[in-house]
């Protein structure tokens, strides 16, 4: 129950960040070439790469949510309240 709620809270940050991690992992995909030469099927390597991307993205998205998104939303609310009072 806590897991899905946590993922829901950080989903926007995850959305913003995941492409960057896909790029970083993809740029270093040559590191996985020995696995392919050892006979590991491409879908298994792809699944591992996806797991790496998700594993890297979730903690960074949680930090972005906590230190950027929440304060930004609060600042936006304060600005809206201030502007509403000024225009009233």
């Amino acid at each position: 129950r806590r897991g899905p709620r946590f993922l829901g809270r950080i989903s926007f940050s995850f959305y913003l960040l995941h492409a960057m991690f896909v790029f970083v992992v993809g740029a270093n995909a040559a590191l996985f070439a020995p696995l392919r030469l050892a006979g590991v099927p491409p879908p298994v390597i792809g699944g591992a790469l996806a797991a790496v991307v998700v594993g890297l993205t979730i903690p960074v998205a949680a930090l972005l949510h906590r230190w950027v998104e929440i304060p930004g939303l609060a600042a936006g609310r304060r600005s809206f309240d201030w502007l509403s009072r000024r225009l009233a």
Side-chain angles (χ1 to χ4, degrees):
R1 191 174 231 197
R2 292 177 107 186
R5 286 184 182 175
F6 170 73
L7 291 176
R9 280 194 306 273
I10 69 164
S11 64
F12 184 67
S13 295
F14 187 95
Y15 164 74
L16 292 176
L17 291 169
H18 84 281
M20 177 181 67
F21 285 107
V22 167
F23 177 77
V24 168
V25 170
N28 293 298
L31 298 173
F32 293 90
L35 294 175
R36 186 66 185 117
L37 294 173
V40 178
V44 172
I45 296 171
L49 291 173
V52 167
V53 167
V54 171
L56 291 172
T57 307
I58 287 177
V60 177
L63 291 172
L64 183 70
H65 174 74
R66 169 68 178 93
W67 295 106
V68 176
E69 199 174 336
I70 291 173
L73 289 170
R77 283 190 201 99
R78 286 192 305 273
S79 298
F80 179 78
D81 291 343
W82 178 82
L83 186 59
S84 297
R85 287 191 304 274
R86 296 276 292 183
L87 295 176

